[in-house]
Amino acid sequence: MSILNKVLKLFFAFLFICLMSFTVIRLIPGDPVTNLIGERGASPERIEEMRKNLGMDKSIPEQFFIFTKNALQGDFGESIVSKQPITSEFKVLWPATFELALFAIIWSGIIGIVLGILAAVKRNSFWDYGAVSLSTIGFAMPIFWWALLVIFFFAVMLGLFPVSGRVGVEFEIPYHTGFYLIDSLFAEDKAAFFSVIKHMVLPAFVLGTVSLALIVRVTRSAFIDIQKEDYIRTARAKGLQPAQVIFKHIFKNALPQILTALGLAFGQLLTGAIMTETIFSWPGLGRWIIKSIEARDYPAVQAGVFYSMLIIIIVNFCTDELIKIVNPKLRGS
Amino acid sequence: MKILLISLAFIFSVTAYSAQNFIFCMEGSPSSFNPQIVTDGVSMNSSAQTVFNRLVEFKYGTTEIAPGLAESWTISKDKKTFTFKLRKNVQFHSNSLFTPTRTFNADDVVYTFKSQLDTKHPLTIPAANYEYFKAMELDQLIVDVKKIDDYTVAFILKRPEAPFLANLAMDFASIQSEEYAKSLVKSGKGLKTLETAPIGTGPFVFKSYQKDSTVRFKAFDNYFKGKPKIENLVFVIVTDSTVRLQKMKSGECHVMSEPQPQDLDQIKALKNVKLISTEGLNVSYVAFNTTKKPFDNLKVREAVSMAMNQKSYVDIIYRNQGTAAKNPIPPTMWSYNNSTTANSYDVEKAKKLLAEAGYPKGFETDLWTLPVSRPYLPNGKKLGELMQADLAKIGVKAKLVTFDWPTYLEKSKKGEHQMAQMGWTGDNGDPDNFMNVLLGCGAIQAGSNLARWCDKEFDGLLQKAKEDSNQGVRTGFYQKAQAIFNKQKPWYPIAHAKLNKVISDKVTGYKIDPFGHENFSNVDLK
Amino acid sequence: MLKKLLKNRGFFIGFCLFSFFAFTALLAAIWTPYSYQEVFENSALLKPSAQFWLGTDDLGRDILSRLLIGSQLSLGIGILVGGISIVVGASLGVISGYFGGKVDQILVQIMNAIQALPSLLLALFVVAILGGGVLNTILSVTLVSIPLMYRMVRSAAIVESSKEYIVSARALGASDFRIIKSHIFPNCTTPILVQMAVCCSDAILNTAALGFLGLGIPAPYPEWGTMLSDSKTFIETAPQLMTMPGLCLLLLILSTQLMSDGLRDQLDPKLRGR
């Protein structure tokens, strides 16, 4: 696939999410302009002004064009509740979610892959049964209950970690990147840095369990399949060390599947983040989306639809590319 | 592994907090930082009590009126002119948008009131409703605000008004900077900025607001009553009461609002925190929208009131931290009418009344439940579930509806509800402040009369009581008004709640305020 | 076939659990210890006792009765959504796979659009647009589950319709409806059954998640997710409140997933052990 093709594909994906978020606001019963303004302070003059600004007096295709143009510039209007431009809110929010999701995927990825390999290599052993039951229960576990249990044991009973929040309230971390771990280092505030880590542990643990189940399952089944392949048997027969076989041959061939699973898991994490962030009062995208829905903050909901789709498309795109890099056979297919 | 262990040990050993932060953990998010346009306590505490001052103010922790930005005042013989002498050399705050070039003077006072009085005033915020100002009927009362000289201002009233001075001590009467407003208009930022970047004369300077997370203030070095003892004041928004308590226990919060009744025993047993309480100046109620069917029918209101088991509400929701209400004002307030009949619980009679009203099989309706824990009502949702179960017994199917707090206020003001839970904490100690604000005809337009109930006789009594300055005479009027309220049932009064605050034992100089204000200009940390 | 299936350990466990919840749901229809809405005075937050087998909640209502009614709700919604997704998702899948062409392309695009967002997020947005309530909650979780069924059935139908006997049947002029009815559908039962269980478990989880966020099935219905979110306030003073609704939810979802795994293993032995 040529570069041009990729760009085209991304462009269409972008148009698609614009179309979706553009439609969403028009599906809500009532006048879209009033919905966008909300109840607060909507004098007739202001409504007219908004209607003009949003181009609502124009035809639908024209409106869509204006919306797409604004979206390209990252302009989604003002939040009804906070009266701040949504983009400026998003700038602070996404690093919070990303930081959390990143840590979740790192720990669950490492442990999931190791467990999956162990289970596949030592089939029908304790490890295998353990890994299979773990992933089965993990799939069925409602994350919000899991979060409550984790909070109960580690925060309430043992008092090891804070119940909620992203950093102790006494710290004020100046904004550089929005990633608190990095920003607290920028500020050379050691206490703040450790406070950030301490706040991260429980939510990242809870969030990671969602993806753990998936990664264990996929790694295990990919390994089992590849172990059966002829070339692995040949490699074994040739007398290669088991470890060598596992890492050189099987792992390499299982990697595309595992990467796909990681990509999928990242999408899942976005859903998981909604619950996790709400329970842990983590000031990220997920909690923001819930709050906006509760507040009927339609411009924010609209932007929420847009941004969450954008993230998923970007993640999917990146995993596709990564898979092609690790497995040249798939190129062009 | 070893490194991991060492770093882990390091993480857990870091618990020393920087000392100069004073942290107040509150239950909700402010909707705006302009006290002129907000009506809820959280927003008022985050703006009026910290950033602003008023001409006259309540003495800390009491309902007594004391000088604020005005040093002294005189009242004319016909009681229609109030003249205030203003304090000199009072500095305004500055922020990234604005640096004051002059100190506080009469122009600021005139601007503050005239912009609320006259919608055509050039510095009136477009589309703002100035709800409080209207609810207090100051738009009907004040004829003019005149600048006599730079430090003298006269208020000219249409008629004598007994609670006027107390009204000026209320949060919405906070004095704004005229210079700031003008500069905002000039720079094109617009007057809406007053809602996000307030400038006042108060003890603390507004620093930043992180949505749903923290509001940060800094001590104002040039505060005219002397710089506050604490350097940084942080309002942390923790909506979940369990988490709030957790943070209180771990020492993260110094003062915590709204402890849940079920946690009080646990709190009392804790070592490093104190529970302080006082009788609250409040009432909680369910407002029946009397302009909508079927609640325009008195029999329906009576039936619904009779179906609700008030005792269970006070027992379960308030856990004895409240007393059952029957009047719109709390029993600690003067003019409380003890002879009115209390809510009675009688399902059979309620059914009969409902049948007489033409709804033998009941009806479907909605009941709006308070989304946040407020001093007068700790848990609206649970109360809603209890009421829903009670109403089901007489065939009334109530759908529970709720929104986030600002939206709830907004929509209920517009009268979109059928039944809505609401409550009120008095803010000037005068019965007028309850009955007129919440049930007066003028308050329908302003939005604070959720029952949208206008009874000419009731309203007439309130107006008469207002113009008289003799408390004995006023008491008579108010008691009569309460009797009418009792018969007409625009509300189902629920309870008067005790006020509880949890404070860390490190905090000194903190007083619990009967109005529910949080003012930290006098507190310090040990 | 059921006999064979029951020999599969996972399926057996899942089936037992599921039957248990089916039993409680049926039981709740005729008997609960108390009314789930009844408030007992002076008995809030009681520990389990002879009078209240699982204790009472913060308002003094019997938890067991609420759980029983809750099982009715969760199971009912699960089965309903599973059913609707068969009627809508599977039919569309078969049509799409059998006829192919334009219809197929359009349907695939629509399903892609629905699946562009993770299911809970989409359900949330639907509820945000339509407003809460029982019907809207069911509608939103159904919408989310239809593409799951559609995709699986479509690919099975494609495989089936390209088989020789179908091609020749078509060439001989048999009506499309007949072919679909007597050949395609019966041969797609495996994926349909497997996916129905998946849809069912997804629906239960999503409903509970919406309830937990306060946007799902409204009070007075004692939905498990809502019960859990209410118990959050009492995590310190009465942690027993959060155990039962969560456990029930976990077991019910687990049962449907075990059944779907077992079905797949049994009916499609190639995948066994995956």
Side-chain angles (χ1 to χ4, degrees), chain B residues 196-351:
Chain B
T196 49
I199 288 280
T201 54
F204 295 95
V205 182
F206 175 83
K207 242 169 87 188
S208 66
Y209 171 46
Q210 203 184 350
K211 193 182 171 191
D212 298 327
S213 172
T214 46
V215 193
R216 289 175 194 275
F217 304 95
K218 218 177 139 307
F220 183 35
D221 293 333
N222 304 318
Y223 184 47
F224 69 92
K225 286 183 191 166
K227 188 184 169 187
K229 290 169 194 139
I230 44 179
E231 183 60 38
N232 294 310
L233 178 64
V234 186
F235 285 12
V236 178
I237 299 149
V238 190
T239 43
D240 188 330
S241 65
T242 323
V243 178
R244 243 180 359 255
L245 185 57
Q246 271 290 329
K247 289 195 185 285
M248 192 74 219
K249 277 192 200 164
S250 69
E252 275 185 271
C253 306
H254 295 118
V255 174
M256 161 191 159
S257 68
E258 302 306 303
Q260 287 287 305
Q262 72 265 10
D263 292 332
L264 293 182
D265 290 332
Q266 192 199 351
I267 293 167
K268 279 179 200 150
L270 290 175
K271 268 193 189 136
N272 53 352
V273 302
K274 266 190 301 199
L275 178 72
I276 47 178
S277 30
T278 181
E279 290 297 332
L281 208 61
N282 60 40
V283 62
S284 57
Y285 56 90
V286 173
F288 303 119
N289 190 338
T290 56
T291 56
K292 276 193 182 168
K293 268 193 182 313
F295 294 105
D296 53 341
N297 187 333
L298 173 61
K299 284 218 168 102
V300 172
R301 301 201 294 266
E302 280 176 333
V304 167
S305 301
M306 225 165 251
M308 296 204 268
N309 184 356
Q310 195 177 22
K311 187 180 171 295
S312 77
Y313 307 157
V314 177
D315 283 353
I316 296 171
I317 303 294
Y318 290 87
R319 306 223 170 205
N320 304 319
Q321 295 298 312
T323 47
K326 59 174 184 173
N327 289 332
I329 59 170
T332 45
M333 186 171 260
W334 58 270
S335 84
Y336 183 80
N337 188 342
N338 232 334
S339 62
T340 53
T341 51
N343 293 318
S344 59
Y345 174 58
D346 189 339
V347 177
E348 287 315 309
K349 204 170 165 203
K351 275 187 194 159

Side-chain angles (χ1 to χ4, degrees), chain A residues 11-325:
Chain A
F11 177 72
F12 277 115
F14 179 79
L15 272 189
F16 169 70
I17 56 180
C18 282
L19 187 67
M20 289 290 276
S21 36
F22 176 79
T23 321
V24 159
I25 212 76
R26 281 158 185 81
L27 287 176
I28 301 163
D31 177 18
V33 179
T34 0
N35 285 337
L36 281 170
I37 296 179
E39 263 68 39
R40 251 140 290 183
S43 66
E45 300 92 50
R46 173 117 178 89
I47 290 184
E48 268 324 297
E49 192 195 315
M50 282 284 289
R51 199 179 291 279
K52 275 227 177 81
N53 285 352
L54 291 166
M56 291 284 185
D57 46 353
K58 302 203 173 76
S59 69
I60 297 273
E62 272 179 283
Q63 285 181 32
F64 180 63
F65 177 73
I66 293 168
F67 176 81
T68 313
K69 211 177 81 194
N70 287 344
L72 264 174
Q73 293 161 347
D75 177 8
F76 289 95
E78 267 177 24
S79 150
I80 295 171
V81 175
S82 71
K83 300 169 190 83
Q84 304 282 327
I86 285 167
T87 322
S88 75
E89 287 194 359
F90 181 72
K91 212 174 75 185
V92 191
L93 290 164
W94 81 267
T97 302
F98 200 77
E99 203 171 34
L100 185 64
L102 200 65
F103 271 77
I105 200 111
I106 286 175
W107 87 258
S108 62
I110 294 174
I111 296 189
I113 291 173
V114 170
L115 256 180
I117 294 177
L118 261 174
V121 174
K122 306 190 173 182
R123 273 202 85 179
N124 297 328
S125 71
F126 163 79
W127 288 104
D128 194 18
Y129 289 126
V132 170
S133 355
L134 188 95
S135 77
T136 312
I137 294 176
F139 263 114
M141 180 64 94
I143 184 175
F144 38 97
W145 188 49
W146 179 233
L148 289 183
L149 289 179
V150 167
I151 291 178
F152 178 70
F153 282 113
F154 293 101
V156 175
M157 263 176 63
L158 301 175
L160 284 177
F161 298 99
V163 187
S164 76
R166 199 174 164 203
V167 65
V169 289
E170 66 276 18
F171 300 108
E172 193 184 2
I173 299 177
Y175 181 91
H176 288 287
T177 59
F179 292 87
Y180 274 11
L181 276 177
I182 299 171
D183 285 356
S184 61
L185 288 178
F186 263 122
E188 292 181 9
D189 191 343
K190 211 155 78 195
F193 180 75
F194 287 118
S195 175
V196 172
I197 290 188
K198 238 174 124 172
H199 280 80
M200 177 96 78
V201 174
L202 290 190
F205 174 62
V206 168
L207 189 55
T209 25
V210 183
S211 40
L212 183 68
L214 182 74
I215 295 168
V216 168
R217 188 177 278 201
V218 171
T219 312
R220 178 175 171 274
S221 66
F223 256 66
I224 289 174
D225 280 358
I226 294 165
Q227 271 178 320
K228 286 181 196 151
E229 299 278 338
D230 288 339
Y231 62 91
I232 301 295
R233 289 190 192 163
T234 323
R236 286 228 169 98
K238 273 200 297 192
L240 278 179
Q241 291 286 317
Q244 241 175 330
V245 175
I246 290 171
F247 289 103
K248 243 186 156 165
H249 294 277
I250 311 183
F251 190 73
K252 209 178 126 198
N253 285 297
L255 204 55
Q257 283 190 50
I258 296 174
L259 278 177
T260 317
L262 281 173
L264 252 172
F266 209 82
Q268 272 186 339
L269 285 184
L270 201 67
T271 316
I274 293 178
M275 305 307 286
T276 317
E277 288 180 4
T278 309
I279 296 171
F280 286 96
S281 308
W282 189 268
L285 260 186
R287 181 162 168 264
W288 178 70
I289 288 176
I290 294 292
K291 290 237 162 192
S292 311
I293 289 176
E294 276 174 1
R296 312 284 193 273
D297 190 345
Y298 290 119
V301 172
Q302 185 175 35
V305 175
F306 179 86
Y307 283 131
S308 33
M309 290 198 346
L310 187 69
I311 291 173
I312 288 171
I313 283 177
I314 290 175
V315 168
N316 285 346
F317 182 78
C318 291
T319 25
D320 281 355
E321 290 306 305
L322 253 176
I323 289 167
K324 279 174 201 154
I325 291 167

